[in-house]
Amino acid sequence: SIHRLLKSYKMAGEEKEVSFSWLLEFYTNSLEEYFDGNQSFGRADDFLDILLQTPPSLKTIDGNMGFIDPLHIVEDIIRVREEVASEW
């Protein structure tokens, strides 16, 4: 779901550029802890919990300033999860 969301953010262009870069970095830094190897059931949900505990912020990437709203990102992840589940 996160890969699909990242692709969606990237395809959205400048509108989601800052969110894409921020989520890509956050996800990359979390790979080992939440996704790689043998993880316990629900570990990916722990990733969402950490995202929800992250405060909103402003971030500038390549001269573009954007508002990072982790709550909105989690909502997007859950929406994409629902799409993936319905495709199964």
Side-chain angles (χ1 to χ4, degrees):
S1 297
I2 294 173
H3 291 184
R4 213 181 262 200
L5 182 61
L6 283 166
K7 184 177 180 181
S8 165
Y9 280 5
K10 186 169 185 139
M11 290 175 57
E14 193 174 308
E15 176 186 345
K16 291 284 190 177
E17 181 179 5
V18 175
S19 293
F20 167 78
S21 296
W22 184 88
L23 180 57
L24 180 61
E25 181 181 342
F26 191 89
Y27 173 65
T28 302
N29 291 335
S30 304
L31 273 174
E32 211 172 293
E33 185 174 353
Y34 296 101
F35 299 101
D36 283 350
N38 189 13
Q39 298 286 341
S40 61
F41 181 76
R43 195 68 177 137
D45 292 333
D46 294 341
F47 172 79
L48 296 181
D49 287 341
I50 294 299
L51 258 176
L52 289 170
Q53 294 173 30
T54 304
S57 62
L58 292 175
K59 183 156 181 139
T60 303
I61 296 186
D62 296 333
N64 293 324
M65 181 180 278
F67 179 68
I68 303 301
D69 183 0
L71 175 60
H72 182 73
I73 291 172
V74 168
E75 289 172 345
D76 287 346
I77 291 170
I78 291 170
R79 178 185 45 77
V80 172
R81 274 186 175 184
E82 183 179 343
E83 291 170 8
V84 170
S86 69
E87 290 172 10
W88 282 5

